[in-house]
Amino acid sequence: MLRTSTPRRPTHPGARTREYAITTQRPHARKAEPVDADEPWMLGLHADTGYVLYRLGLRSGQLFNAALQESGLRLRHYALTRYLATVEGALQRELSDRLGYDPSAIVGLVDDLERLGFVERRPAPGDRRSRVVVLTDGGRTFLRDTDRMSRRVTDELLHPLSKGEQEALHALLLRIAEPGRT
């Protein structure tokens, strides 16, 4: 007797194809459990501003990724499209430098966004071997749709602060993140 089998969907995330991974809903990162700041082991960590900034970054990323989950994209995709909205186009190495992502990660992010029609790779003026990544009309629509989501996430994250405190925090974080900017 001849047995036939139907192709099975991969059983573990590492076996998924890149297309499957960006076009299906993925569970967002596990939310951080509340921590008792009075525990002796936490006192030192909460006294360390770098650690508190790290925790804030994790929480911010989790909120953004959860909000972007429906689109199948992640915060890194949003950041790349947001940057491209401010320039006429950028080489992949420029995207890596500006966003602080590994060059190999940029290739995958651009591939994802190109497959969705949000960006295009075009020949670089004056260098036939290089490609410039350019935001498409579809990418601009995605940004318009996600801008409201971005504001909601930021509002949720900063709701314990007054408007003045939010502005002061933003200014201080910019001074730390980009020292030569101010």
Side-chain angles (χ1 to χ4, degrees), residues 110-165:
V110 171
D111 287 347
D112 293 344
L113 293 168
E114 189 172 43
R115 195 170 12 265
L116 294 170
F118 294 169
V119 301
E120 291 178 349
R121 288 178 171 102
R122 297 181 183 163
D127 185 356
R128 295 180 309 167
R129 296 169 298 169
S130 295
R131 301 298 234 193
V132 174
V133 181
V134 178
L135 193 64
T136 65
D137 288 339
R140 291 182 204 296
T141 300
F142 166 74
L143 281 176
R144 271 193 307 276
D145 293 345
T146 55
D147 278 345
R148 286 183 294 279
M149 172 278 308
S150 173
R151 283 191 293 279
R152 279 194 314 273
V153 167
T154 300
D155 290 347
E156 180 181 341
L157 193 63
L158 300 179
H159 85 274
L161 304 177
S162 70
K163 186 69 171 162
E165 289 171 326

Side-chain angles (χ1 to χ4, degrees), residues 4 74 98 111 148 150 167:
T4 60
R74 311 275 295 161
R98 291 292 192 173
D111 287 347
R148 286 183 294 279
S150 173
E167 291 168 1

Side-chain angles (χ1 to χ4, degrees), residues 6-73:
T6 57
R8 293 183 344 192
R9 176 175 274 164
T11 57
H12 63 281
R16 291 181 176 170
T17 65
R18 181 166 209 65
E19 178 122 9
Y20 179 78
I22 67 165
T23 58
T24 61
Q25 286 191 351
R26 291 173 281 178
H28 60 279
R30 182 172 42 108
K31 292 191 178 190
E33 295 296 320
V35 176
D36 187 352
D38 296 329
E39 290 289 330
W41 62 274
M42 286 303 296
L43 291 176
L45 287 175
H46 284 182
D48 182 341
T49 303
Y51 177 77
V52 174
L53 287 170
Y54 167 75
R55 293 282 300 195
L56 178 61
L58 284 177
R59 182 161 177 250
S60 176
Q62 289 168 343
L63 290 172
F64 267 92
N65 285 329
L68 285 168
Q69 183 178 358
E70 186 176 312
S71 70
L73 298 177

